Amino acid sequence: MSILLTIVPSGSAGLNNLKKKISSELTKNKGTFAVAYKDLSSGEELLINEKISFHAASTMKTPVLIEAYKQAAAGKFQIQDSILVKNEFKSIVDRSLYSLDAKDDSEVDLYTKENKKVKIYDLLYLMIIKSSNLATNLIIDLVGAKNANNTMQEMGASDIQVLRGVEDTKAYRKGLNNTTTAYDQMLIFSEMANGKIVSQESSDAMINILLDQKFNDKIPAKLPKDVKVAHKTGWITGVNHDAGIVFLPDGRKYVLVLLSKDLEDDQAAVQSMAKVSRMIYQYFDRKTRSRTNLNRSSFGMM
């Protein structure tokens, strides 16, 4: 497994020790991993392979979610508007038509609503919490993949590429895939956590959807039950991702991104990623609790 460590100057022996522990855990697996962590209060970061490009899998659905809220804010439609459910989409290669198969999707009920109208909000919700491919392609038809891609560029997430919808086989065969990096995922979730994507209201609305994520085997898996995670997963053969915002009950929060590819044993890799998430949580909790106590002590001395 290839791992390159990027040391962000922080003067923290604890952070360097954490990097070593994470590296030791991930090297138990054959594959390539990336980690990006950011303390949203101090700005401290831990970065591993943060600029390596990965097939985005379903993490591309977060940029699509962002684009939908951006266009709604611009008045192009309202999130509570309804659109027609169809199962016919155009390949970006030659505009030929293709359809999705419910057997290959993680959400199947939407297929029973073909030729009926469904609220845009409900499609966004299914796209995120159940990673519905059909909902995703319907939203991409609405907002445009190029627009979502341009928005990522405007945000500075230039290594996130949103090129197409899901199951565009012709595009896949030509290597035209949605891509991402851990660093850029960290960037967009940090902006969202700080209420800076579209508006505070829109950021909060997106976070509330992401908090209902139904696939919780990586970042949240080994965290305390009262810790909430607003996140989006993604997986295809040999690839497993998770990215989002971790909220502690007292309001402290951080961003964590875990990406992987070229995996031989997906289950073992997922277990390692869940362990890495727990390591980072324990580090963050210990450090920020100490910082909070120090601030309280300083305040008491004034």
Side-chain angles (χ1 to χ4, degrees), residues 114-150:
E114 194 170 347
N115 297 318
K116 297 178 183 178
K117 286 194 170 184
V118 173
K119 287 183 178 180
I120 293 170
Y121 174 84
D122 293 338
L123 294 174
L124 294 170
Y125 190 76
L126 290 174
M127 177 180 76
I128 296 299
I129 73 152
K130 291 190 175 180
S131 212
S132 167
N133 290 337
L134 181 55
T136 301
N137 281 14
L138 289 167
I139 295 296
I140 287 177
D141 265 13
L142 176 69
V143 303
K146 287 184 179 179
N147 292 326
N149 196 63
N150 289 340

mmCIF file of all heavy atoms in Angstrom, residues 114-150:
data_model
loop_
_atom_site.group_PDB
_atom_site.id
_atom_site.type_symbol
_atom_site.label_atom_id
_atom_site.label_comp_id
_atom_site.label_asym_id
_atom_site.label_seq_id
_atom_site.Cartn_x
_atom_site.Cartn_y
_atom_site.Cartn_z
ATOM 1 N N GLU A 114 -42.041 5.715 -11.623
ATOM 2 C CA GLU A 114 -41.771 6.206 -12.983
ATOM 3 C C GLU A 114 -43.042 6.796 -13.594
ATOM 4 O O GLU A 114 -44.139 6.257 -13.417
ATOM 5 C CB GLU A 114 -41.238 5.065 -13.860
ATOM 6 C CG GLU A 114 -40.630 5.543 -15.153
ATOM 7 C CD GLU A 114 -39.888 4.432 -15.895
ATOM 8 O OE1 GLU A 114 -39.644 3.367 -15.307
ATOM 9 O OE2 GLU A 114 -39.568 4.649 -17.085
ATOM 10 N N ASN A 115 -42.885 7.934 -14.279
ATOM 11 C CA ASN A 115 -43.982 8.682 -14.897
ATOM 12 C C ASN A 115 -44.883 9.381 -13.878
ATOM 13 O O ASN A 115 -45.979 9.840 -14.229
ATOM 14 C CB ASN A 115 -44.823 7.786 -15.820
ATOM 15 C CG ASN A 115 -44.002 7.250 -16.978
ATOM 16 O OD1 ASN A 115 -43.205 7.975 -17.567
ATOM 17 N ND2 ASN A 115 -44.172 5.972 -17.291
ATOM 18 N N LYS A 116 -44.422 9.449 -12.640
ATOM 19 C CA LYS A 116 -45.120 10.220 -11.617
ATOM 20 C C LYS A 116 -44.207 11.358 -11.160
ATOM 21 O O LYS A 116 -42.996 11.311 -11.350
ATOM 22 C CB LYS A 116 -45.486 9.330 -10.416
ATOM 23 C CG LYS A 116 -46.460 8.216 -10.764
ATOM 24 C CD LYS A 116 -46.734 7.351 -9.539
ATOM 25 C CE LYS A 116 -47.659 6.196 -9.903
ATOM 26 N NZ LYS A 116 -47.902 5.303 -8.729
ATOM 27 N N LYS A 117 -44.780 12.362 -10.536
ATOM 28 C CA LYS A 117 -43.986 13.495 -10.063
ATOM 29 C C LYS A 117 -43.563 13.292 -8.613
ATOM 30 O O LYS A 117 -44.341 12.810 -7.787
ATOM 31 C CB LYS A 117 -44.757 14.801 -10.229
ATOM 32 C CG LYS A 117 -44.840 15.270 -11.672
ATOM 33 C CD LYS A 117 -45.307 16.717 -11.761
ATOM 34 C CE LYS A 117 -45.153 17.244 -13.182
ATOM 35 N NZ LYS A 117 -45.513 18.682 -13.268
ATOM 36 N N VAL A 118 -42.322 13.653 -8.336
ATOM 37 C CA VAL A 118 -41.754 13.546 -6.994
ATOM 38 C C VAL A 118 -41.067 14.874 -6.667
ATOM 39 O O VAL A 118 -40.471 15.500 -7.539
ATOM 40 C CB VAL A 118 -40.738 12.384 -6.912
ATOM 41 C CG1 VAL A 118 -40.016 12.369 -5.562
ATOM 42 C CG2 VAL A 118 -41.441 11.049 -7.136
ATOM 43 N N LYS A 119 -41.142 15.284 -5.406
ATOM 44 C CA LYS A 119 -40.519 16.544 -5.004
ATOM 45 C C LYS A 119 -39.000 16.478 -5.159
ATOM 46 O O LYS A 119 -38.375 15.449 -4.876
ATOM 47 C CB LYS A 119 -40.871 16.868 -3.552
ATOM 48 C CG LYS A 119 -42.310 17.320 -3.351
ATOM 49 C CD LYS A 119 -42.556 17.698 -1.897
ATOM 50 C CE LYS A 119 -43.983 18.187 -1.715
ATOM 51 N NZ LYS A 119 -44.253 18.566 -0.302
ATOM 52 N N ILE A 120 -38.436 17.591 -5.575
ATOM 53 C CA ILE A 120 -36.980 17.683 -5.707
ATOM 54 C C ILE A 120 -36.313 17.360 -4.373
ATOM 55 O O ILE A 120 -35.313 16.635 -4.333
ATOM 56 C CB ILE A 120 -36.561 19.086 -6.198
ATOM 57 C CG1 ILE A 120 -37.055 19.304 -7.634
ATOM 58 C CG2 ILE A 120 -35.048 19.273 -6.106
ATOM 59 C CD1 ILE A 120 -36.908 20.742 -8.129
ATOM 60 N N TYR A 121 -36.883 17.875 -3.280
ATOM 61 C CA TYR A 121 -36.301 17.592 -1.959
ATOM 62 C C TYR A 121 -36.233 16.087 -1.703
ATOM 63 O O TYR A 121 -35.224 15.577 -1.213
ATOM 64 C CB TYR A 121 -37.108 18.253 -0.843
ATOM 65 C CG TYR A 121 -36.604 17.853 0.526
ATOM 66 C CD1 TYR A 121 -35.532 18.523 1.111
ATOM 67 C CD2 TYR A 121 -37.158 16.770 1.208
ATOM 68 C CE1 TYR A 121 -35.031 18.134 2.343
ATOM 69 C CE2 TYR A 121 -36.667 16.369 2.436
ATOM 70 C CZ TYR A 121 -35.604 17.056 3.004
ATOM 71 O OH TYR A 121 -35.100 16.652 4.215
ATOM 72 N N ASP A 122 -37.302 15.365 -2.051
ATOM 73 C CA ASP A 122 -37.336 13.923 -1.806
ATOM 74 C C ASP A 122 -36.274 13.197 -2.631
ATOM 75 O O ASP A 122 -35.673 12.214 -2.168
ATOM 76 C CB ASP A 122 -38.722 13.351 -2.113
ATOM 77 C CG ASP A 122 -39.786 13.861 -1.145
ATOM 78 O OD1 ASP A 122 -39.413 14.290 -0.026
ATOM 79 O OD2 ASP A 122 -40.980 13.850 -1.500
ATOM 80 N N LEU A 123 -36.031 13.683 -3.842
ATOM 81 C CA LEU A 123 -34.979 13.095 -4.682
ATOM 82 C C LEU A 123 -33.599 13.370 -4.078
ATOM 83 O O LEU A 123 -32.738 12.478 -4.038
ATOM 84 C CB LEU A 123 -35.059 13.649 -6.099
ATOM 85 C CG LEU A 123 -36.317 13.280 -6.898
ATOM 86 C CD1 LEU A 123 -36.331 14.008 -8.233
ATOM 87 C CD2 LEU A 123 -36.426 11.777 -7.110
ATOM 88 N N LEU A 124 -33.376 14.594 -3.617
ATOM 89 C CA LEU A 124 -32.107 14.927 -2.972
ATOM 90 C C LEU A 124 -31.890 14.067 -1.734
ATOM 91 O O LEU A 124 -30.777 13.583 -1.483
ATOM 92 C CB LEU A 124 -32.079 16.407 -2.592
ATOM 93 C CG LEU A 124 -32.077 17.408 -3.757
ATOM 94 C CD1 LEU A 124 -32.292 18.825 -3.232
ATOM 95 C CD2 LEU A 124 -30.781 17.318 -4.550
ATOM 96 N N TYR A 125 -32.939 13.881 -0.975
ATOM 97 C CA TYR A 125 -32.866 13.081 0.249
ATOM 98 C C TYR A 125 -32.474 11.632 -0.067
ATOM 99 O O TYR A 125 -31.563 11.071 0.547
ATOM 100 C CB TYR A 125 -34.216 13.139 0.958
ATOM 101 C CG TYR A 125 -34.229 12.560 2.353
ATOM 102 C CD1 TYR A 125 -33.690 13.268 3.420
ATOM 103 C CD2 TYR A 125 -34.812 11.326 2.606
ATOM 104 C CE1 TYR A 125 -33.717 12.760 4.709
ATOM 105 C CE2 TYR A 125 -34.845 10.805 3.888
ATOM 106 C CZ TYR A 125 -34.300 11.519 4.940
ATOM 107 O OH TYR A 125 -34.327 10.999 6.213
ATOM 108 N N LEU A 126 -33.126 11.039 -1.065
ATOM 109 C CA LEU A 126 -32.816 9.660 -1.454
ATOM 110 C C LEU A 126 -31.418 9.559 -2.061
ATOM 111 O O LEU A 126 -30.719 8.569 -1.857
ATOM 112 C CB LEU A 126 -33.853 9.137 -2.447
ATOM 113 C CG LEU A 126 -35.259 8.883 -1.901
ATOM 114 C CD1 LEU A 126 -36.206 8.499 -3.029
ATOM 115 C CD2 LEU A 126 -35.242 7.794 -0.831
ATOM 116 N N MET A 127 -31.023 10.580 -2.809
ATOM 117 C CA MET A 127 -29.692 10.601 -3.418
ATOM 118 C C MET A 127 -28.599 10.523 -2.357
ATOM 119 O O MET A 127 -27.578 9.862 -2.545
ATOM 120 C CB MET A 127 -29.526 11.884 -4.245
ATOM 121 C CG MET A 127 -28.156 12.073 -4.867
ATOM 122 S SD MET A 127 -28.007 13.586 -5.836
ATOM 123 C CE MET A 127 -27.877 14.815 -4.513
ATOM 124 N N ILE A 128 -28.828 11.192 -1.221
ATOM 125 C CA ILE A 128 -27.821 11.232 -0.166
ATOM 126 C C ILE A 128 -27.966 10.074 0.805
ATOM 127 O O ILE A 128 -27.017 9.304 1.014
ATOM 128 C CB ILE A 128 -27.894 12.573 0.592
ATOM 129 C CG1 ILE A 128 -27.539 13.734 -0.342
ATOM 130 C CG2 ILE A 128 -26.962 12.539 1.816
ATOM 131 C CD1 ILE A 128 -26.153 13.701 -0.927
ATOM 132 N N ILE A 129 -29.126 9.913 1.406
ATOM 133 C CA ILE A 129 -29.211 8.964 2.536
ATOM 134 C C ILE A 129 -29.202 7.508 2.093
ATOM 135 O O ILE A 129 -28.730 6.641 2.827
ATOM 136 C CB ILE A 129 -30.425 9.249 3.435
ATOM 137 C CG1 ILE A 129 -31.738 8.846 2.754
ATOM 138 C CG2 ILE A 129 -30.468 10.697 3.881
ATOM 139 C CD1 ILE A 129 -32.822 8.477 3.720
ATOM 140 N N LYS A 130 -29.731 7.223 0.897
ATOM 141 C CA LYS A 130 -29.721 5.849 0.391
ATOM 142 C C LYS A 130 -28.889 5.717 -0.879
ATOM 143 O O LYS A 130 -28.861 4.656 -1.496
ATOM 144 C CB LYS A 130 -31.146 5.349 0.154
ATOM 145 C CG LYS A 130 -31.926 5.135 1.448
ATOM 146 C CD LYS A 130 -33.241 4.408 1.188
ATOM 147 C CE LYS A 130 -33.951 4.091 2.485
ATOM 148 N NZ LYS A 130 -35.245 3.387 2.249
ATOM 149 N N SER A 131 -28.233 6.787 -1.263
ATOM 150 C CA SER A 131 -27.361 6.811 -2.437
ATOM 151 C C SER A 131 -28.077 6.360 -3.699
ATOM 152 O O SER A 131 -27.507 5.659 -4.541
ATOM 153 C CB SER A 131 -26.110 5.957 -2.201
ATOM 154 O OG SER A 131 -25.006 6.487 -2.881
ATOM 155 N N SER A 132 -29.330 6.778 -3.855
ATOM 156 C CA SER A 132 -30.126 6.394 -5.018
ATOM 157 C C SER A 132 -29.497 6.893 -6.311
ATOM 158 O O SER A 132 -29.321 8.092 -6.519
ATOM 159 C CB SER A 132 -31.541 6.968 -4.887
ATOM 160 O OG SER A 132 -32.241 6.876 -6.118
ATOM 161 N N ASN A 133 -29.188 5.954 -7.195
ATOM 162 C CA ASN A 133 -28.621 6.321 -8.497
ATOM 163 C C ASN A 133 -29.667 6.967 -9.409
ATOM 164 O O ASN A 133 -29.362 7.904 -10.153
ATOM 165 C CB ASN A 133 -28.031 5.091 -9.184
ATOM 166 C CG ASN A 133 -26.781 4.588 -8.497
ATOM 167 O OD1 ASN A 133 -26.106 5.335 -7.799
ATOM 168 N ND2 ASN A 133 -26.464 3.319 -8.680
ATOM 169 N N LEU A 134 -30.895 6.469 -9.328
ATOM 170 C CA LEU A 134 -31.957 7.031 -10.155
ATOM 171 C C LEU A 134 -32.239 8.481 -9.745
ATOM 172 O O LEU A 134 -32.343 9.372 -10.600
ATOM 173 C CB LEU A 134 -33.225 6.186 -10.047
ATOM 174 C CG LEU A 134 -34.425 6.651 -10.886
ATOM 175 C CD1 LEU A 134 -34.050 6.780 -12.360
ATOM 176 C CD2 LEU A 134 -35.607 5.697 -10.710
ATOM 177 N N ALA A 135 -32.333 8.720 -8.444
ATOM 178 C CA ALA A 135 -32.544 10.091 -7.963
ATOM 179 C C ALA A 135 -31.391 10.995 -8.400
ATOM 180 O O ALA A 135 -31.599 12.144 -8.803
ATOM 181 C CB ALA A 135 -32.688 10.097 -6.447
ATOM 182 N N THR A 136 -30.177 10.462 -8.334
ATOM 183 C CA THR A 136 -28.995 11.243 -8.720
ATOM 184 C C THR A 136 -29.076 11.675 -10.175
ATOM 185 O O THR A 136 -28.856 12.841 -10.508
ATOM 186 C CB THR A 136 -27.716 10.414 -8.507
ATOM 187 O OG1 THR A 136 -27.631 10.035 -7.141
ATOM 188 C CG2 THR A 136 -26.481 11.205 -8.892
ATOM 189 N N ASN A 137 -29.399 10.745 -11.066
ATOM 190 C CA ASN A 137 -29.448 11.084 -12.485
ATOM 191 C C ASN A 137 -30.576 12.067 -12.796
ATOM 192 O O ASN A 137 -30.435 12.929 -13.666
ATOM 193 C CB ASN A 137 -29.588 9.815 -13.324
ATOM 194 C CG ASN A 137 -28.262 9.096 -13.491
ATOM 195 O OD1 ASN A 137 -27.302 9.389 -12.786
ATOM 196 N ND2 ASN A 137 -28.202 8.143 -14.405
ATOM 197 N N LEU A 138 -31.679 11.961 -12.067
ATOM 198 C CA LEU A 138 -32.773 12.915 -12.253
ATOM 199 C C LEU A 138 -32.340 14.324 -11.830
ATOM 200 O O LEU A 138 -32.649 15.310 -12.508
ATOM 201 C CB LEU A 138 -34.000 12.469 -11.450
ATOM 202 C CG LEU A 138 -34.721 11.226 -11.989
ATOM 203 C CD1 LEU A 138 -35.703 10.684 -10.948
ATOM 204 C CD2 LEU A 138 -35.447 11.534 -13.292
ATOM 205 N N ILE A 139 -31.615 14.412 -10.724
ATOM 206 C CA ILE A 139 -31.140 15.724 -10.258
ATOM 207 C C ILE A 139 -30.063 16.271 -11.191
ATOM 208 O O ILE A 139 -30.042 17.476 -11.489
ATOM 209 C CB ILE A 139 -30.626 15.630 -8.810
ATOM 210 C CG1 ILE A 139 -31.768 15.275 -7.848
ATOM 211 C CG2 ILE A 139 -29.968 16.943 -8.391
ATOM 212 C CD1 ILE A 139 -32.862 16.321 -7.748
ATOM 213 N N ILE A 140 -29.184 15.402 -11.686
ATOM 214 C CA ILE A 140 -28.154 15.866 -12.629
ATOM 215 C C ILE A 140 -28.802 16.375 -13.914
ATOM 216 O O ILE A 140 -28.365 17.386 -14.479
ATOM 217 C CB ILE A 140 -27.136 14.742 -12.919
ATOM 218 C CG1 ILE A 140 -26.235 14.539 -11.696
ATOM 219 C CG2 ILE A 140 -26.297 15.067 -14.150
ATOM 220 C CD1 ILE A 140 -25.237 13.427 -11.827
ATOM 221 N N ASP A 141 -29.859 15.714 -14.369
ATOM 222 C CA ASP A 141 -30.583 16.226 -15.539
ATOM 223 C C ASP A 141 -31.171 17.602 -15.254
ATOM 224 O O ASP A 141 -31.239 18.453 -16.143
ATOM 225 C CB ASP A 141 -31.710 15.249 -15.915
ATOM 226 C CG ASP A 141 -31.286 14.271 -17.004
ATOM 227 O OD1 ASP A 141 -30.077 14.186 -17.294
ATOM 228 O OD2 ASP A 141 -32.165 13.581 -17.557
ATOM 229 N N LEU A 142 -31.581 17.821 -14.013
ATOM 230 C CA LEU A 142 -32.178 19.097 -13.632
ATOM 231 C C LEU A 142 -31.145 20.214 -13.545
ATOM 232 O O LEU A 142 -31.354 21.309 -14.080
ATOM 233 C CB LEU A 142 -32.895 18.950 -12.277
ATOM 234 C CG LEU A 142 -33.494 20.221 -11.664
ATOM 235 C CD1 LEU A 142 -34.688 20.701 -12.491
ATOM 236 C CD2 LEU A 142 -33.907 19.974 -10.213
ATOM 237 N N VAL A 143 -30.017 19.944 -12.885
ATOM 238 C CA VAL A 143 -29.053 21.027 -12.598
ATOM 239 C C VAL A 143 -27.880 21.073 -13.569
ATOM 240 O O VAL A 143 -27.238 22.113 -13.718
ATOM 241 C CB VAL A 143 -28.518 20.926 -11.151
ATOM 242 C CG1 VAL A 143 -29.664 20.950 -10.159
ATOM 243 C CG2 VAL A 143 -27.646 19.683 -10.942
ATOM 244 N N GLY A 144 -27.570 19.942 -14.204
ATOM 245 C CA GLY A 144 -26.457 19.870 -15.149
ATOM 246 C C GLY A 144 -25.139 19.530 -14.484
ATOM 247 O O GLY A 144 -24.708 20.230 -13.556
ATOM 248 N N ALA A 145 -24.499 18.462 -14.938
ATOM 249 C CA ALA A 145 -23.208 18.050 -14.375
ATOM 250 C C ALA A 145 -22.168 19.148 -14.551
ATOM 251 O O ALA A 145 -21.357 19.407 -13.645
ATOM 252 C CB ALA A 145 -22.732 16.747 -15.029
ATOM 253 N N LYS A 146 -22.180 19.827 -15.696
ATOM 254 C CA LYS A 146 -21.192 20.894 -15.936
ATOM 255 C C LYS A 146 -21.336 22.027 -14.933
ATOM 256 O O LYS A 146 -20.346 22.613 -14.480
ATOM 257 C CB LYS A 146 -21.332 21.430 -17.360
ATOM 258 C CG LYS A 146 -20.826 20.477 -18.431
ATOM 259 C CD LYS A 146 -20.911 21.103 -19.815
ATOM 260 C CE LYS A 146 -20.369 20.150 -20.879
ATOM 261 N NZ LYS A 146 -20.466 20.736 -22.248
ATOM 262 N N ASN A 147 -22.572 22.331 -14.561
ATOM 263 C CA ASN A 147 -22.802 23.395 -13.584
ATOM 264 C C ASN A 147 -22.262 22.992 -12.213
ATOM 265 O O ASN A 147 -21.642 23.808 -11.514
ATOM 266 C CB ASN A 147 -24.287 23.726 -13.490
ATOM 267 C CG ASN A 147 -24.810 24.385 -14.746
ATOM 268 O OD1 ASN A 147 -24.107 25.135 -15.414
ATOM 269 N ND2 ASN A 147 -26.054 24.103 -15.094
ATOM 270 N N ALA A 148 -22.505 21.728 -11.829
ATOM 271 C CA ALA A 148 -21.974 21.240 -10.553
ATOM 272 C C ALA A 148 -20.448 21.283 -10.572
ATOM 273 O O ALA A 148 -19.809 21.664 -9.581
ATOM 274 C CB ALA A 148 -22.470 19.818 -10.283
ATOM 275 N N ASN A 149 -19.876 20.917 -11.696
ATOM 276 C CA ASN A 149 -18.419 20.927 -11.835
ATOM 277 C C ASN A 149 -17.873 22.358 -11.731
ATOM 278 O O ASN A 149 -16.882 22.621 -11.052
ATOM 279 C CB ASN A 149 -18.018 20.303 -13.167
ATOM 280 C CG ASN A 149 -16.554 19.935 -13.229
ATOM 281 O OD1 ASN A 149 -16.102 19.088 -12.474
ATOM 282 N ND2 ASN A 149 -15.812 20.571 -14.117
ATOM 283 N N ASN A 150 -18.548 23.294 -12.411
ATOM 284 C CA ASN A 150 -18.120 24.692 -12.359
ATOM 285 C C ASN A 150 -18.196 25.248 -10.943
ATOM 286 O O ASN A 150 -17.332 26.023 -10.525
ATOM 287 C CB ASN A 150 -18.972 25.541 -13.302
ATOM 288 C CG ASN A 150 -18.676 25.264 -14.766
ATOM 289 O OD1 ASN A 150 -17.622 24.732 -15.108
ATOM 290 N ND2 ASN A 150 -19.609 25.610 -15.638
#
